Amino acid sequence: LSAALPDVEIHYAGSAEEAAPHLSRTQILYGWGFSADLLRKLGAVRWVQKMGAGVDDIVGDWPFSGDVILTRTDGRLIAPRMVEYVVGAILDMSAGFDVARRLQRDRQWAFFEVGSIQDLTVGVAGLGDIGSGIAQTLKSLGARVVGWRRSSTPVRGVDELFAGDESLLDFVGSSDVIVLVLPLTRNTDRLFDANVFDRCRPGLHLINVGRGAVLDEQALLAAIDSGKVARATLDVFAVEPLPQDHPFWNHPKITVTPHVCGPLVPDKVVPHFLKNYEAFERRQPLRNVVDLARQY
Amino acid sequence: LSAALPDVEIHYAGSAEEAAPHLSRTQILYGWGFSADLLRKLGAVRWVQKMGAGVDDIVGDWPFSGDVILTRTDGRLIAPRMVEYVVGAILDMSAGFDVARRLQRDRQWAFFEVGSIQDLTVGVAGLGDIGSGIAQTLKSLGARVVGWRRSSTPVRGVDELFAGDESLLDFVGSSDVIVLVLPLTRNTDRLFDANVFDRCRPGLHLINVGRGAVLDEQALLAAIDSGKVARATLDVFAVEPLPQDHPFWNHPKITVTPHVCGPLVPDKVVPHFLKNYEAFERRQPLRNVVDLARQY
């Protein structure tokens, strides 16, 4: 950023303490890990750019009125790797690698019939830039794709769209695999609870790459242990890092990955920031502005 | 088959002993596991249809002259699941699931940067129906795809084609992942040997879904243990079932699957046979005739 904006005064801070001396004069805040306390100390801020696609850590306690803009990273910058994570997670189960690992451990040569993604209905909950990228790739690989979102706006790659809270249980009951790509808002907080897991298809593979708290972790454990849910692949958790004594860690039917699947890399996020900066300077509309009422 | 061909005399045999009484009168032989000894006892045979895409078990000792036709199963019948196996194997490494499994075992939350298939060059050796299906899907997922085959006939989805023995080492040196989909013939027997592994890119992921004996298993082990080859995902082996004491079983960098990735299912192979049967009856050319000189 310093190289691209030589005339702009830029301060880097790795902690609230390092940020403190600059907060009263900061006009643009760029990064992540902003507490409500830190935000309230901003005296001159006009624009906050979150480095990350999720803003659940900010929107719940946003201290400003309408004249401060909040933007977030464009999901399209991180979608490709998230798509690959989801496809890899599905194929691990459908192509039988999970079964093969158990056989290999026991030096056991036993034929089993592998499945095909072409025989699966995959449900994608959350159809923003990332969710719709996932839907399109799964469709191109031959899956039947159903989607769930707030609005009924159609999405390319989605064979059947379920819209709104009233259709959630039908969506869940239609899917062999469910991929959660939902933002965490007051409406999605622990949305996937015991009631929802009760309605899922037997053998469900649940994949969460959005935000951990959109599901009730205890209810998920109970649904897995009762045999209702066959497997979960989770990159996000209600509390991160996942606590050392959390039952997910050593569960044979749960794959834990440490929030790795949507990495922000400088060569993607910096150009994105600079484009928004240019618009900001020219007093033109910014991209990826957060709707504070919807909370995403 | 009995339902579709009520006027044809059909005998099922699960062993050479069960087959023996019928061999002298058999005109069409359909199935797999045919020894040269069994084939030599056929007195009236005019057509052998192998149930399977590979005919390496038959062509080396084919006892007939030109008037007996040998056909094999169309690779397109089994390609979709083989494509999914290969994509799943690549993503397991590139999207970091292998690293995540080790972290999970140790309850360790440690960020690592996942890779992308879009940054990989994948080499496909063998570009028949199965190999070209693999190439096209990998291309659609954003990989750079290079191919190796005997002839220089271009293939859709292949960015760069290497043709013939003289280009094998250049092909190997161009690939981050190599997928072997080669038939086993006198030309491919242990083709991937120490000399070839010496020329591979560091960090190579080798995937074999064709025939085990196209690679030298001891040379592969040495290349992995020297750090030259990072990982191998193997569905096929020189000796199957893989012997209990084989070093592949407990090798941390080798994934063993028990020859599962190209299953033959009745609802695909029976219609394929019936189409060929119809052509045979009408004395029209059969499909998927094996070239006995090329051995595939």
Side-chain angles (χ1 to χ4, degrees), chain B residues 45-147:
Chain B
V45 74
R46 292 163 54 205
W47 169 32
V48 176
Q49 166 78 48
K50 169 75 185 281
M51 201 188 289
V55 289
D56 46 280
D57 52 340
I58 300 179
V59 292
D61 219 358
W62 184 247
F64 308 109
S65 54
D67 55 346
V68 180
I69 303 166
L70 174 62
T71 56
R72 62 189 186 90
T73 297
D74 195 308
R76 283 169 292 192
L77 301 186
I78 53 180
R81 289 182 191 203
M82 294 184 75
V83 169
E84 293 180 34
Y85 178 101
V86 169
V87 173
I90 294 173
L91 290 175
D92 191 62
M93 184 169 175
S94 68
F97 288 104
D98 57 343
V99 175
R101 277 194 298 276
R102 289 195 292 275
L103 292 172
Q104 183 173 356
R105 203 178 308 142
D106 301 337
R107 296 180 176 240
Q108 202 183 334
W109 183 276
F111 180 78
F112 61 92
E113 200 178 313
V114 300
S116 170
I117 207 168
Q118 305 192 357
D119 299 327
L120 296 177
T121 297
V122 183
V124 181
L127 290 164
D129 290 323
I130 299 166
S132 58
I134 291 169
Q136 282 162 39
T137 299
L138 291 171
K139 180 74 189 162
S140 78
L141 291 170
R144 180 166 180 270
V145 178
V146 300

Side-chain angles (χ1 to χ4, degrees), chain B residues 159-170:
Chain B
D159 295 299
E160 188 178 1
L161 184 66
F162 295 85
D165 289 342
E166 64 281 10
S167 71
L168 180 62
L169 296 180
D170 289 335

Side-chain angles (χ1 to χ4, degrees), chain B residues 18 42 60 85 110 124 147-148 179 185 229 265 270:
Chain B
E18 281 177 42
L42 292 164
Y85 178 101
V124 181
W148 182 75
V179 184
T185 70
V229 171
V265 290
V270 169

Side-chain angles (χ1 to χ4, degrees), chain A residues 81 84 107 114 117 244, chain B residues 81 84 107 114 117 244:
Chain A
R81 288 181 192 205
E84 293 180 34
R107 295 179 176 239
V114 300
I117 207 168
Q244 277 290 310
Chain B
R81 289 182 191 203
E84 293 180 34
R107 296 180 176 240
V114 300
I117 207 168
Q244 278 288 310

Side-chain angles (χ1 to χ4, degrees), chain A residues 102-152:
Chain A
R102 289 195 292 276
L103 291 173
Q104 183 173 356
R105 202 177 309 144
D106 301 336
R107 295 179 176 239
Q108 203 183 333
W109 183 276
F111 181 79
F112 60 92
E113 201 179 313
V114 300
S116 170
I117 207 168
Q118 305 192 357
D119 298 327
L120 296 177
T121 298
V122 183
V124 181
L127 290 164
D129 291 321
I130 298 166
S132 57
I134 290 168
Q136 282 162 37
T137 299
L138 291 170
K139 181 73 189 162
S140 78
L141 291 170
R144 180 167 181 269
V145 178
V146 300
W148 182 75
R149 72 185 319 181
R150 196 176 42 91
S151 74
S152 57

Side-chain angles (χ1 to χ4, degrees), chain A residues 257-277:
Chain A
T257 60
H259 202 145
V260 293
C261 91
L264 295 167
V265 288
D267 66 349
K268 302 237 173 183
V269 295
V270 168
H272 176 262
F273 176 84
L274 291 174
K275 274 221 167 171
N276 250 357
Y277 179 81

